[in-house]
Amino acid sequence: MSESRAAALRSLLFASSAAGMLVAAPAFAADVAAEEGVVVTADQSQPANLGTIDVNGQFKKPAPVSPEFVAPLVDTPRAVTVIPQAIIEQTSASSLQDLLSNSPGITFGAGEGGQPLADRPFIRGQSSGNNIFVDGIRDTGGQQREVFNLEQVEVIKGPDAVYSGRGSGGGSINLASKSPKLNAFTNVSAGAGADGYLRGTVDANLPLGETAALRINLMGAQGDVPGRDAVDYDKWGAAISLGAGLGTPSSMVFSYYHLTSDQMPDYGIPLFTKIQSRTTDSGVLDVPYDSFYGLKARDYLTNEVDTFTFKAEHRLNDFATIRNVSRYSQTLNDYIVTNPGDGGYVGRAADGTYWMKRGTKTRWNPVTTLANVTDVFGQFATGSIKHSYDVGVELSREHNRNASYSTYTTSGSACPTGLTPVSGTYPTATGNSGAGDCTPVYNPNSDDAWTGVINRGPTSSNTTEAIGVYANDSITLTERLILNLGVRWDQYSVKGVNATATQSAGVWTTTGYTAVPEQTWKFTNYQVGLVFKPTQNSSVYASWSTSSTPPTISAGDQNASGGLGTVDGVANTVLDPEDTESFEVGAKANVLNDRLALSAAAFHLTRKNALILVEPNIFRQEGEVEVNGFELGVSGSITPKWTVFGGYTYMDSELTKAAVVVSGTPPVASVNPLQGLPLANTPKHSASLFTTYRVLPRLTVGGGVYYTSKSLGGNQGGAGGGNNRIYAPEWTRVDAFAAYDLTDRATLQLNVKNATDEDYIMRTNGVHHADVAAGRQAILALNLRF
């Protein structure tokens, strides 16, 4: 960690503590006054409430914030999970991946896929890394997202192109940011824990007159990853939001968000393919789970995000409200990481030990995005039929640059002599990788000395431009029957420039630039849903929805391919979009005086035109996958003292159709070995439940249980593992939670994550490496409200 960043973090933690002492003093005084019979007017926190606060400071139930949701959640004919701010705080989440573990049916992929070392969620078995939104606008660029500025997270499951546009075959995730309110409050949190954990946040809302307010959120954090001692991080963020006209027909909000994150990247542990001998059933190499193959002297990961957003809204009447949101953002994903399963070579010494020459993955990937979304929404009636509608236009332009680094070793950990090659051509003492840089496979040393030359290569780039026009209508036919209709037309264009270069002794020589012709795709998608309401607070529904994924997204590609691929051996073939459709039936109910929300859904999802590898470097768009399953959800309070949030998802996935494999001389056609395999990152069973109970007026206890059955890894055609049958074994994690109200405004919160210190693999790439989950960690935080 740099001294400047460490100093900034210490300053933030000091400011958090100082603010805490300022607010704690009158809070403790209020306690004393109460004991002496004096009336205390401070409102006590209600951690049991799984809701949010509206612009006027009033409590409301969680609901999607986008105007594209034209009906209440109970009347929306599809599975939608809203993770409220209370869950973010009570689970002590600090990343999007942490938080989404509370929504079963979502997994995260490991590396590769065009987005190594960035959030790669899979929803219902479909890669959804390009389907993450912030306040309804697509959040582009590879990054690992923070949660300090979030009020809630909304997960739409199943094809949702009518809401989110291109590339949302499995669903999408919208991050709702904290916004200015008209009531004054300040929340301060300062936490410390095992493995060097330090985290401080400040959330201050300052009214500026009767209709304006300023909201400021600050965050600083540092620590190590439990069980992965070499993996550390430090990060800081700031979010400033200024609103005017709040609570009136015309309002404007200007927001700025910044995040800087520096960490030691972690590519986990190798697979059996590294030593060419399967030592476990899962195919994950039987090395200790704390084994770390990176180099502290070389490896790094930096994420930077700067986002400016302007939202203007004007309510004409009940019939029409106009909302316009504009955004400019810059993101940077910049890293050099040791990949233990790829790029390096393995040899076996005379004493039987295995030695690995380290290989690297590198990327310099800045992305600039300009986007504008305009909505007109409202309500009207045609006779006895009521309509709640939204029509809109989305415009966006993304400029994506990409370059790699050379990492030429001039001096490193010596490779033993007389090694017998096991995988790759070993050893290599010259060439682009340089001198020896070796470590024992079963006992790697991250403190190995290293010196060398690091140079960034030439930059390729691509520019995508997208237009989306959509309309959604919730039509109340009778008191019990609602018809939900949606349609969206999209045009997606991409063009780019590919750089070519050679490398020698760590020095790049650019040999030229090749323009990639512009390609354009147009597609239309639909949603139809019918809702029957047995009661006002319940519904039964059936729906059909579609989505289209352009090829540059389906491949997870961030280079300048322009949607061109090598199909049947023919290079630069224009690829077709992948098409996804889903049938879903379900039921929802708000029970116990509207305190508890229950949901159930069954779905059948099909994705067609999937690009399938049939021979080395030869693909065909003949793949078809299916996912059948059901899910259950619960959120809210069973009693005023007892809250629950969680669910269960079952998914039966399969690559049902794959192109035949042609091989041999003369060529012979055979069944693709991938056919019939489950999809990667798609476990059959996943469940989570986070619950709290107020056992005493000031004491709340609880915790979470998270379970995932075994999950195949792999990137080929969306299927898992190929013939290697690599998988992450099933795992169960238990978290513990306790909160004690010192005063009406001060609470001590204890979280113990992975309380049983379970060793498990979170996910596996299926081709190169597996990612190890964090070990046990205890975190104690002081949370203050004033």
Side-chain angles (χ1 to χ4, degrees), residues 114-136:
Q115 295 190 71
L117 300 175
D119 292 331
R120 291 192 66 222
F122 282 69
I123 307 176
R124 291 186 176 175
Q126 316 305 308
S127 179
S128 303
N130 288 287
N131 307 326
I132 300 176
F133 296 75
V134 174
D135 301 324

Side-chain angles (χ1 to χ4, degrees), residues 79 105 122-126 157-158 170 582 584 601 603 605 627 631 651:
F122 282 69
I123 307 176
R124 291 186 176 175
Q126 316 305 308
K157 297 179 180 178
S582 175
E584 180 174 316
F603 55 89
L605 182 148
V627 183
E631 61 183 59
M651 293 184 289

Side-chain angles (χ1 to χ4, degrees), residues 269-289 442 710 723-729 761 764 770:
I269 59 179
L271 307 179
F272 83 94
T273 50
K274 199 65 183 172
I275 64 171
Q276 300 299 311
S277 177
R278 195 174 190 115
T279 57
T280 63
D281 289 339
S282 68
V284 178
L285 198 61
D286 58 339
V287 299
Y289 277 9
Y442 281 86
K710 81 172 187 178
N723 290 329
N724 292 334
R725 303 292 292 185
I726 304 295
Y727 66 89
I761 300 296
T764 173

Side-chain angles (χ1 to χ4, degrees), residues 612-615 620 622 654-663 668-677 723:
I612 297 295
L613 180 70
V614 294
E615 298 179 55
R620 291 183 196 156
E622 297 181 7
E654 182 181 354
L655 178 62
T656 56
K657 185 186 296 184
V660 298
V661 176
V662 179
S663 59
V668 176
S670 60
V671 176
N672 194 313
L674 298 176
Q675 186 160 318
L677 287 178
N723 290 329

